[in-house]
Amino acid sequence: MSTSTAREAAAPVGDAPPEQVSLPEAFRYWLKLGFVSFGGPAGQISMMHTELVERRRWISEHRFLHALNYTMVLPGPEAQQLATYIGWLMHGTLGGIVAGVLFVLPSLGILIALTFVYLAYGDLPIVAGILYGIKPAVTAIVVFAAWRIGSRALRNGALWAIAVAAFVAIFALKVPFPAIVLGAGLIGYLGGRIAPDRFKTGGGHGSGGGDYGTAIIDDDTPLPARARFSWRHTLGYALVGLSLWGLVEGLLWLVYGWQGPLTQMGWFFTKAAFVTFGGAYAVLPYVYQGGVETHGWLTGTQMIDGLALGETTPGPLIMVVAFVGFVGAWTKEIFGPDALLLAGIAGASVATFFTFLPSFLFILIGAPAIEATRHDLKFTAPLTGITAAVVGVIVNLAVFFAWHVLWPEGSEAAPFAGPFEWFSLLLAVSAFVALWRFKVGIIPVIAACALAGLGWAIRT
């Protein structure tokens, strides 16, 4: 067994940290994560915590939660940004780019393949059966991840109260997610001044080393010089990012004109990247309106099908933008009727590039400043309050999933319309028990539910 494999198999708690991790070894982990990161942001964050904090001990829980707190307040996919942040902490700019790209690249390839099959061959009963089984599994994964994250982040009554209030606000009162973030941050700031012990980073967590052993990047591990804040690096990253954006968008404009579908996709998905507070579900109405109603890249039914594909493939759910880009370029036949696949690949790639470019800049520009404030309560207390609120938002996401899985014909006007899917409930409960009680991995759970769904579809 190799050293890397042995370290994956078990990371015993002790005083000595694991050996330093090379960039190639980190590359292999991030590539693996890109292929198995099912379950949406909650499941993906839970996966990274299990592997990087508990088993491999690459980073302490305190440092992990501090990074998570920052990504939660950013627009964009927080799990992908968290991977970028940890990759940056471990191996600098290149490490961050590698982690962030590999988090997205497998999902892009899989979605391109699935979207081609979807458009070229139409509905396949076997696919419908597999999706029927996977959806309850995804619901169970989100519920399980909410429980895991909540049990770590909500360490006192004040943080529990924030989480409950956030759930009520978004579920019952339909308060926009950005308003919940601002409110929780304000409560955390005031709480840090009035009751600082309740708003320490992580909501009362001890050091990561106290639970899982000393980590490579431990609570008191100093930042290397390359990771410290400097205006020169900040301006440099901003200049490079803006130049990349201007170069690609400018080339599309020169080749296809401003009204060309690819040029419009670049501009549209750039705007979408800055309104994704609260994750993919917060931005889906915006993408739906632009893709379906404004630009006519796809139909409403196709958008819903794309969301189903996005929910059941690895990677961030916001990767549904790749589906929109693929279908839009295919529909518009941007390279002619004989090059539809090439057009789809170009559309998916453009949508993905412009959606994720800002996420890399948010981390590479902001992370050094965030690390510099790690022990300053007036900065960390608002982030702790926001983390507590996000637990409530994740629970709302779990309820959203469960409702659509158990009452697929339900609507806002008649939430419990249509038959109750009792077999889906059985699958969801079984998947949760497997994850929680028997510690079964996410991939085996998804595979088993997919087979069960296929068998049920064939039977009925």
Side-chain angles (χ1 to χ4, degrees):
M1 181 181 289
S2 67
T3 302
S4 173
T5 305
R7 194 176 326 164
E8 288 187 32
V13 174
D15 293 332
E19 298 175 11
Q20 291 293 322
V21 177
S22 66
L23 183 58
E25 185 177 347
F27 179 97
R28 289 191 292 273
Y29 169 74
W30 296 121
L31 180 61
K32 171 188 171 184
L33 181 66
F35 280 102
V36 301
S37 55
F38 292 91
Q44 293 152 3
I45 290 166
S46 180
M47 279 186 190
M48 283 189 278
H49 186 280
T50 299
E51 284 291 321
L52 302 183
V53 177
E54 299 178 26
R55 296 179 61 192
R56 301 175 186 239
R57 292 185 292 147
W58 287 4
I59 185 171
S60 73
E61 182 161 279
H62 171 87
R63 301 290 284 265
F64 182 92
L65 287 173
H66 186 72
L68 176 60
N69 289 344
Y70 173 54
T71 62
M72 288 294 188
V73 304
L74 294 174
E78 59 267 32
Q80 185 265 350
Q81 291 168 336
L82 178 62
T84 304
Y85 195 121
I86 295 173
W88 168 81
L89 269 179
M90 297 190 68
H91 296 107
T93 300
L94 180 58
I97 292 173
V98 165
V101 168
L102 292 180
F103 197 92
V104 171
L105 202 58
S107 178
L108 175 61
I110 293 169
L111 267 178
I112 284 175
L114 291 177
T115 308
F116 170 72
V117 171
Y118 170 81
L119 291 173
Y121 300 104
D123 295 332
L124 298 174
I126 188 173
V127 174
I130 291 172
L131 292 178
Y132 178 84
I134 288 178
K135 289 179 181 180
V138 171
T139 302
I141 290 167
V142 173
V143 172
F144 178 65
W147 175 78
R148 284 177 62 87
I149 295 173
S151 65
R152 290 180 172 87
L154 307 179
R155 292 299 183 91
N156 59 64
L159 298 181
W160 269 101
I162 293 174
V164 171
F167 173 79
V168 172
I170 196 167
F171 177 77
L173 305 178
K174 309 301 180 186
V175 176
F177 183 81
I180 293 175
V181 167
L182 291 174
L186 178 60
I187 292 171
Y189 175 78
L190 296 175
R193 298 173 66 89
I194 298 170
D197 288 343
R198 294 180 176 270
F199 288 87
K200 290 180 179 177
T201 302
H205 285 273
S207 69
D211 292 329
Y212 307 113
T214 305
I216 296 173
I217 302 175
D218 210 49
D219 292 0
D220 299 318
T221 302
L223 282 176
R226 58 172 169 73
R228 293 172 188 161
F229 177 81
S230 77
W231 283 109
R232 182 171 66 87
H233 288 162
T234 298
L235 294 175
Y237 288 131
L239 181 61
V240 169
L242 290 173
S243 298
L244 282 173
W245 183 91
L247 176 64
V248 178
E249 183 71 355
L251 285 174
L252 294 176
W253 182 28
L254 289 174
V255 174
Y256 302 106
W258 180 248
Q259 296 302 324
L262 292 180
T263 313
Q264 285 296 300
M265 285 182 187
W267 178 238
F268 174 75
F269 287 112
T270 297
K271 294 184 290 183
F274 286 91
V275 298
T276 52
F277 289 99
Y281 279 103
V283 77
L284 283 176
Y286 179 80
V287 174
Y288 180 95
Q289 184 182 45
V292 176
E293 299 175 3
T294 303
H295 296 286
W297 293 328
L298 71 173
T299 67
T301 300
Q302 287 174 328
M303 183 70 191
I304 295 171
D305 292 338
L307 178 58
L309 290 177
E311 287 176 343
T312 52
T313 53
L317 181 57
I318 194 61
M319 282 302 297
V320 70
V321 301
F323 176 88
V324 174
F326 190 108
V327 176
W330 175 295
T331 302
K332 299 296 184 181
E333 299 183 350
I334 60 173
F335 299 146
D338 297 325
L340 295 179
L341 176 58
L342 182 61
I345 293 172
S349 300
V350 166
T352 302
F353 175 82
F354 285 100
T355 299
F356 284 92
L357 177 62
S359 291
F360 286 95
L361 296 179
F362 291 145
I363 299 302
L364 297 177
I365 291 174
I370 294 299
E371 283 294 307
T373 65
R374 193 162 49 84
H375 297 294
D376 191 334
L377 189 62
K378 66 176 177 288
F379 289 102
T380 60
L383 297 180
T384 300
I386 290 168
T387 299
V390 168
V391 173
V393 174
I394 293 173
V395 173
N396 173 71
L397 177 61
V399 172
F400 178 89
F401 271 152
W403 173 44
H404 282 277
V405 167
L406 300 179
W407 285 277
E409 297 180 18
S411 63
E412 290 289 340
F416 305 115
F420 177 78
E421 293 289 341
W422 65 268
F423 187 73
S424 293
L425 176 62
L426 178 62
L427 282 182
V429 171
S430 300
F432 180 82
V433 171
L435 292 165
W436 174 63
R437 178 67 178 84
F438 299 104
K439 314 300 181 187
V440 179
I442 288 176
I443 298 303
V445 168
I446 289 176
C449 289
L451 289 175
L454 179 59
W456 181 258
I458 293 173
R459 175 183 175 278
T460 55

